[in-house]
Amino acid sequence: MAEPIIRTEGLSKKFGPFTALNGIDLEVYKGEIHALLGDNGAGKSTLIKILSGVHQPTSGTIYVEGQPHAFKTPRDASQAGIGTVYQDLAVNPLMSVTRNFFMGRELTKGPAPFGLLRMEEMDQITHDEMVKIGIDISDPRQAVGTMSGGQRQTLAIARAIYFGAKVLILDEPTSALGQKQQLEVLKTMRRVRARGDIAIIFITHNEVHSMLVSDRFTFLALGEVIGKGTHEELHGTDIRHLMAGGVEMADLEQEIAAI
Ligand SMILES: Nc1ncnc2c1ncn2[C@@H]1O[C@H](COP(=O)(O)OP(=O)(O)OP(=O)(O)O)[C@@H](O)[C@H]1O
Ligand SMILES: [Mg+2]
């Protein structure tokens, strides 16, 4: 088996006397979608905040492509190729798709900070990067506010990848969306997966969604790993009980498999 792109060893986090995470071993591989599952308070967000440099672990180590890393800031994690898409997405609905795509990393000509923006080039890149993951926005100068929630998620994902994310962390990307848009986001995730060079960590409360798209699973409860395995390894076991959505599954499975 290939080396994990991200691996944690014995990761623990205490908030004062409270142990939020206790000895977490996680292995995440490129070209895979890895579902991180667990009930409220299990420690999912704490774990990804450590992976994205927001919190520092109390003990334990993060390895990126085999090398130990200690992220002091989100910038450190980002430089190591870890891109996190939070639920609020940090998009400005009044600004254009292109300006949101580049946000703070605009292409300019002439000396900074007064360089002229290379708008046409940025529009082209935005358009092309969005098409790559399945959304053909005819006019990248349209305001983000005109896009659907699913398209905005896709914009945030395309942006993270374009700016170098090798590991994409998606915290509840489908939870605020309606049914149809949820499917859009799941499709986007499958297209990213199909590239083969990026790992996705998918946090969700929706077992149906996790089963539809994920290759590998880690279950957390009260700060500990209570189960893990690939789709095949877990097939027919307890998770089937967790997923009471069998009917919805059958329909969606076909659509996802078509990609
Ligand atoms: N900054 C903090 N200070 C103190 N306790 C915290 C802090 N952040 C999280 N916790 C506690 O750690 C535990 C795990 O929280 P966490 O947010 O990681 O859970 P989660 O799995 O993301 O839950 P949810 O599904 O509700 O998002 C909870 O008991 C929470 O109250
Ligand atoms: Mg959370």
Side-chain angles (χ1 to χ4, degrees):
M1 179 98 223
E3 176 175 50
I5 188 161
I6 281 202
R7 182 165 75 80
T8 73
E9 203 175 79
L11 218 54
S12 296
K13 177 67 180 175
K14 291 189 177 206
F15 293 108
F18 178 75
T19 300
L21 291 177
N22 186 22
I24 303 293
D25 296 338
L26 177 78
E27 299 84 25
V28 177
Y29 297 90
K30 65 181 181 182
E32 289 192 356
I33 297 176
H34 191 126
L36 189 57
L37 302 169
D39 212 347
N40 296 114
K44 305 180 295 295
S45 294
T46 303
L47 177 54
I48 63 146
K49 281 178 184 163
I50 292 174
L51 293 178
S52 50
V54 175
H55 290 323
Q56 280 78 58
T58 307
S59 58
T61 310
I62 301 171
Y63 297 87
V64 181
E65 293 176 315
Q67 298 302 311
H69 280 259
F71 303 138
K72 295 219 161 37
T73 64
R75 197 187 168 87
D76 290 346
S78 164
Q79 276 170 355
I82 299 171
T84 307
V85 175
Y86 292 103
Q87 226 170 29
D88 62 14
L89 293 180
V91 295
N92 180 338
L94 299 177
M95 276 163 54
S96 73
V97 177
T98 298
R99 292 308 294 272
N100 271 283
F101 191 91
F102 283 89
M103 192 119 43
R105 290 174 284 205
E106 284 78 7
L107 306 176
T108 56
K109 57 186 163 213
F114 304 112
L116 292 171
L117 294 179
R118 283 142 61 189
M119 274 319 291
E120 275 177 27
E121 205 176 329
M122 291 195 289
D123 284 339
Q124 191 64 49
I125 290 170
T126 302
H127 175 265
D128 294 350
E129 294 302 310
M130 295 289 282
V131 166
K132 276 188 205 161
I133 56 174
I135 291 186
D136 192 350
I137 37 161
S138 49
D139 179 11
R141 297 196 180 189
Q142 76 192 61
V144 162
T146 63
M147 297 170 96
S148 73
Q151 289 177 326
R152 289 182 211 192
Q153 279 283 347
T154 299
L155 168 65
I157 291 169
R159 179 172 69 187
I161 293 171
Y162 181 72
F163 288 103
K166 293 178 288 190
V167 178
L168 195 60
I169 300 176
L170 307 178
D171 195 0
E172 306 260 7
T174 55
S175 65
L177 304 176
Q179 290 284 349
K180 221 176 136 187
Q181 293 188 19
Q182 292 175 3
L183 187 57
E184 284 289 310
V185 173
L186 296 177
K187 286 178 175 174
T188 298
M189 291 169 59
R190 286 296 276 218
R191 289 192 190 95
V192 173
R193 175 184 179 275
R195 295 170 43 125
D197 59 343
I198 288 176
I200 297 178
I201 300 177
F202 177 30
I203 293 162
T204 180
H205 278 106
N206 189 318
E207 291 91 1
V208 176
H209 288 174
S210 73
M211 287 306 280
L212 274 169
V213 299
S214 308
D215 303 286
R216 198 176 291 272
F217 301 79
T218 296
F219 297 89
L220 293 184
L222 298 175
E224 301 199 354
V225 175
I226 54 160
K228 60 165 91 170
T230 62
H231 208 289
E232 293 72 31
E233 285 161 2
L234 294 166
H235 191 73
T237 61
D238 296 337
I239 329 176
R240 283 221 79 86
H241 287 292
L242 294 172
M243 345 174 333
V247 179
E248 191 190 357
M249 268 293 273
D251 295 336
L252 299 185
E253 240 162 17
Q254 279 192 330
E255 262 194 83
I256 295 289
I259 292 170

